[in-house]
Every structure is written in C-alpha cells, then in structure tokens.
Amino acid sequence: MAIFNLKKREIECKIVYYGPGRCGKTTNLEYVFKSYKKQITGEMVSINTEGDRTLFFDFLPMGLGKIRNCDVRVQLYTVPGQVKYSSTRKLVLRGVDGLVFVADSLEVRREKNMLSLKDLQKNLKEYGKSIFKVPLIIQYNKRDLAEQGIPLMPVKQMNRDLNRQLKVPSFPASAVTGNGVGTTLKECLKLTLLSLQREFQWAK
Amino acid sequence: MHNQVVLKGNLKFLNLGDLMQLIGANCNSGTLRMHSKYTAEPGIIFFDKGNPINASYGSKTGLDAVYTFFGWTEGEFEFVKEKIISKKIITKSRMGIILEGLKMIDDGKIEKLGPKILDQEISGSTKKNPGMPVVNGPLVDYMYVVDEEDFFDGENIVEEGRHGSWLWVLMEGVVEIRKETSKGTLPIIRLSDGSFIGSMAAFLIQGNIRTATAVAIGNVQLGVLDSQLLSQEYSSLSSEFKGLLMSIDKRLKLVTNMAADYYTNRSINDEQINNDKKNIIQQGEIEEKLYIIKQGKATVGRYNDNNFIPLCNLYKGDFIGHMPFFDLNHEPDYAAVLASKDIKLREIDMEQLQNEFQKLSSTLKNITEFTANCICATSKVVCDFYQQYSGSDSKNE
C-alpha cells in the first residue's frame, strides 16, 4: 500500500529487508547508503535494538520512471528480528510494498534462515498479505566467506531450502564488499514498481 | 482561520507513529494535542513543516515528552493547523523518533497507559498484601454524583448477602473486595480512585443481593451515583444490549466466586469438563463474532502451561465470544470456551450493539469498561489461586 502524496506529487513506497539476526540486513543498507549517496534524501536513522540494528532512510531510485506522473520515493527499512520488538515490526511491515529476504549462507545458520522465512510469512499474514503475492527477492549473503574456508551452503541447496515454493528471483551477494547488493535492490525496486503499476492500472 | 482543528480522532485507531508519519508526509505545521483518560494533563507536540520541534507533557518537554506519548495507546487527538513560534528543541529526525519510541515501548522503557492493574502498593496500608492486584478506575464524571459519603478504615461499605442497590464511585482511597468462604474471609482485589462499587444488576427491578463485601482500607471518600438516572438510561436500551451488560456483570461475579472456590479447594467439576470437551472457541484464535447461548453450558477457561483453568460456567442467556468494545482478557485472545454437547448458540448483530455502546453516557460506559477491567484482574487472581491451591492436585493425575 504505497502512499500518494498529492502535495509533492510523490508516491512513497516501502521496501523492507528481512532475515535472521546477524545475516547482514544492516550491512546491505549501509552499503546502499554509502554508495548511492546522491539518491538519498535525509539522514540514515539507526536504532540500536537488542542483537541487531534497525535502519531507515529515504531513497530516490533513478531512471525507473514515474507512475502516473508522480515521482517515486522509496523508504528502506530493516526489521528487528527479536520477537519482543513487535511494535516496531508492525510499523515497518504495515503497508510494505516490497521485500528483500536476506539469507545467511553459513552452514550453521541453515535452520535460522528457514525459521525466519516462516516468521516472515506469519507476520505478513497478520497484515493481510500473502508471501506468494508480495514482491519478494531472496539474497544469499556472505558468499565472500568461502574464500576464507568457512563452510557455506551451496546456492543450489539454499534455493531448495528457501525458494522451492516461492520461486522468486534470488541473488548471491556479499554485503561487506557490496557484491550483489545493488542487483538485489534494483531487482526488488523493479518488482515493486511493476506491482504498484499493476495495482494502479487496476484501480483506474 | 486560526485555531482550526483539521484532524481529530482516536489514538487506538491511528497511533502516534502513524500520526507523525501522516503529518510529516503532508509537511503540516501546527499543534497536536492528545488527551487520555488515564492522565490528568494533555500531551502536546508542535510540528513545523512536518517535523516535531517541541513537545510538552506536565513538566516534561522535548524528546522526553514525545517518547512518553508512545505509551498512549488509547485516547483522543486533535491537530490544529497554525503557525508555530515555539523554539526548535527537537532535532532528531521524525522517523528516528518513531522507531526509537516504538523500540522503547517494546523494551518496556515507556509506560503503556491503559486500563492497568498495578501490582505495587497504592498506599501505606496495602503493603501487607503486595501480591493483590489493584484496579484503577476511569476519571469520575461528577454529573452523576448526587451525594458524598465518607467511610473510615476497616468499615464495611457493602456486606455480602445483604440487600442493596446503591452504586458508588470511589473518589479517593482504596477499597478491598472480599468474599466469605468456609476457610474464612478471602480478600480478592483492591480498587482505587475512580472505581465503581455495586453492580449493574441493581438496575433490574428485583432487589439486588450483594455478592461480595467491600471494605474501606484507610479512609475512603465515595460519591453516590444517581441510580435513577442510570436506571432510566439502562431501561431505554435494547433488550439485547441489556442482556450483554447483565451477562458481563454476571461474569464478574462468577469469576469472583471461582476464586473463592479454588481458595477453599473445592475441586470443581474436573470430570464435567472432561466430559464436555467440545472446544468452541480456542485460545488465541481470531474470532470476531459474538454469540448468545440458547441452550447448554459453556465453560470459559484459560490455558496456562497446558492446564485448563476454568474461570466461569455460562448458561442460557449469557454472551460469549469477541466483545467489540471492551477487553475482558477472556475469549478469544486469552481464554478458550469448552461447551457441552447440546450447546446451541445464536450469533449477535454486533453493529447494532456497537452503535448502542457509542451512545451510552460516559458513566455507564465507564461502569461497563470498569467491570471488564475487574474481570480481567480477577481472572488473574483465579489463575494464581488455582496454581496455589488446586494446581498440585490436577498435575498428579
């Protein structure tokens, strides 16, 4: 549910990075913030939540065109994973237009990924959304760790674990180096805007 | 032109986080005023071009005040569009404040206002009973108070088993509600300022028999409510709504009785429940319908560590299900309903009830909400007693 701002002739939509704790959501957004400085209006808000950080900033995607003659402004958020932060999660997830699920490639985090994805589905359902319908991208993060000999799950296996039913676009990435971060975001923006366009067409 | 209220509403519907985003997105300048019936003073936030620049609540100002407001989950707000001359004290960004405020709520750093049960003592004399819940009432509407009465420490205001149909509102002090049991007098809950004493059953024509004793703890000042006015209002309600009010009133009495039963260790109908075993409303289920029982028996109870703790038994004419305008902390969120096999229910048209509820006078509304709060607090007592007195038996099964 994007918000129309008639005064500014803007459409404000919301993209949320979701994933298990310490999977690199924050690193993703920090990289975006650093490398797309020109497209960012305002400062980055960072809230220290237990074991995690919640980030927020506004982002103006370039070259994605306008919807019904309105500029598009994107709000990027990460969600605190801990169960107890339900108020924050509610605010962030309410009216979400697009999602990036950041999965941790470490072998030891396999179960955490699956639990978190299930959790996402449950949360979305609470806000009347289906995980199968909302624009969603999966990112397999921390691929760079393979060079250091740390056991990672093959992308193929992760796809099977997480993406078998969803069949959404997925990308390997390394948020620390920035590999794949842009691709993930761009793809998510594309899906989100397409879905918004569809929605508005339908409303016409 | 000035002092024009451009937006008003209820914080329960649009919370402060959403409100700030809305004002922010529209780049509005003006004053946001919030009132809650649980606070004496209103809260104020000043916005300049969509950004909060200052706030005040009592002696608090700036960010401190803004964060407090995140705990106001109930209350009214209004936004007045005007030019703001206040100094810019808050520099933190809007979204930063919202996310921080919500985080502080979840961390328990901000007090949530609402119908609350205080576990801590209210006055010196309550210290002897630290575990007993104290229920606070809403703000007193003096329009309905026709007389004042004083009671001294230890004096009985109402005695169990006696006739009486007076209704009081507690202006100042603490009152303890007790039940007489075979094991002696049992204190159940305490009430403090704003609470109502007496029951809605007094509106009925038949003489009302008091079902519990109310004792003054310390000196207490009571306001006698204009029961004629209230009865008149009550009699003008639809029969369905009357039924609902009576059913809630009855439920409080039943839950209170249940507390006494557990205390005296009368092991209650465990077999019966096992025989019934037809779960019609599950705990935590999203059930948005309200029913009236036409036939059979329904047991409302709470699942606590896999133990089913019966809170009350309901029969024909009682209401079960989701009550849209007040929170009993019973079914469907915090209790389940088991029913006998012959149960028959009829669904109630909620819209009509809700309309009627909205039109109630503030006092009658307060009484119903207060009754709901008492049910919620007493249910907690029941669960505690169950664990204390009869919990051990049922675990050995």
Side-chain angles (χ1 to χ4, degrees), chain B residues 183-377:
Chain B
K183 268 166 83 179
T185 309
L186 169 71
I188 294 181
I189 54 172
R190 286 187 174 194
L191 311 176
S192 80
D193 299 10
S195 301
F196 295 95
I197 297 160
S199 104
M200 285 191 280
F203 300 148
L204 295 176
I205 303 153
Q206 309 99 303
N208 175 45
I209 294 175
R210 304 290 188 184
T211 51
T213 304
V215 184
I217 304 293
N219 293 347
V220 163
Q221 200 178 33
L222 297 180
V224 181
L225 288 178
D226 190 338
S227 43
Q228 207 176 355
L229 201 62
L230 288 168
S231 300
Q232 259 170 23
E233 191 188 346
Y234 175 77
S235 56
S236 71
L237 300 169
S238 72
S239 60
E240 213 155 61
F241 200 82
K242 280 186 211 168
L244 176 66
L245 293 185
M246 283 309 130
S247 176
I248 288 166
D249 193 61
K250 185 176 159 199
R251 194 185 281 215
L252 175 59
K253 290 172 184 165
L254 291 172
V255 174
T256 311
N257 288 345
M258 200 60 107
D261 283 349
Y262 286 136
Y263 175 68
T264 49
N265 210 351
R266 211 181 302 159
S267 112
I268 320 147
N269 44 36
D270 262 329
E271 335 82 64
Q272 265 187 42
I273 291 159
N274 287 335
N275 288 339
D276 294 345
K277 272 248 163 115
K278 186 176 154 196
N279 207 333
I280 49 174
I281 298 178
Q282 264 165 27
Q283 191 165 333
E285 185 183 4
I286 303 168
E287 164 73 64
E288 283 176 348
K289 287 180 182 149
L290 181 63
Y291 302 96
I292 185 166
I293 303 176
K294 300 306 287 178
Q295 184 193 316
K297 173 186 158 194
T299 305
V300 178
R302 184 170 292 170
Y303 280 103
N304 205 345
D305 302 329
N306 289 329
N307 277 329
F308 181 75
I309 308 174
L311 296 170
C312 59
N313 295 317
L314 301 172
Y315 298 92
K316 189 181 168 196
D318 286 321
F319 287 68
I320 53 169
H322 171 72
M323 315 249 172
F325 10 86
F326 31 71
D327 205 356
L328 305 181
N329 268 8
H330 273 189
E331 80 277 1
D333 289 339
Y334 298 102
V337 179
L338 300 182
S340 60
K341 287 198 184 75
D342 59 340
I343 190 93
K344 277 200 184 128
L345 301 172
R346 181 166 65 83
E347 200 188 320
I348 299 286
D349 175 19
M350 208 110 81
E351 211 178 302
Q352 205 199 330
L353 288 184
Q354 207 145 10
N355 280 339
E356 267 191 274
F357 183 75
Q358 289 312 328
K359 284 184 202 139
L360 286 186
S361 69
S362 66
T363 301
L364 205 51
K365 222 185 224 175
N366 283 344
I367 295 178
T368 15
E369 280 173 349
F370 177 75
T371 310
N373 286 348
C374 284
I375 293 178
C376 155

Side-chain angles (χ1 to χ4, degrees), chain A residues 3 5 7-8 12 14 43 45-50 54-56 75 77 84-89 91-92 94, chain B residues 15 17-18 21 24-28 81 91-100 102-107 112:
Chain A
I3 296 171
N5 191 330
K7 238 184 215 168
K8 298 191 214 157
E12 198 179 87
K14 203 184 239 187
E43 54 183 309
V45 170
S46 162
I47 309 286
N48 283 320
T49 35
E50 223 173 274
T54 305
L55 290 190
F56 161 80
Q75 299 185 311
Y77 286 88
K84 71 169 181 174
Y85 293 114
S86 62
S87 308
T88 318
R89 209 168 33 240
L91 176 111
V92 171
R94 188 178 325 122
Chain B
N15 67 39
D18 294 331
Q21 287 186 74
N26 287 302
C27 286
N28 289 323
K81 198 176 170 181
T91 49
K92 201 175 164 95
S93 80
R94 186 170 67 236
M95 214 52 219
I97 296 172
I98 296 172
L99 289 173
E100 184 76 37
L102 292 175
K103 180 209 133 183
M104 282 163 82
I105 277 275
D106 291 334
D107 276 338
K112 265 197 186 178

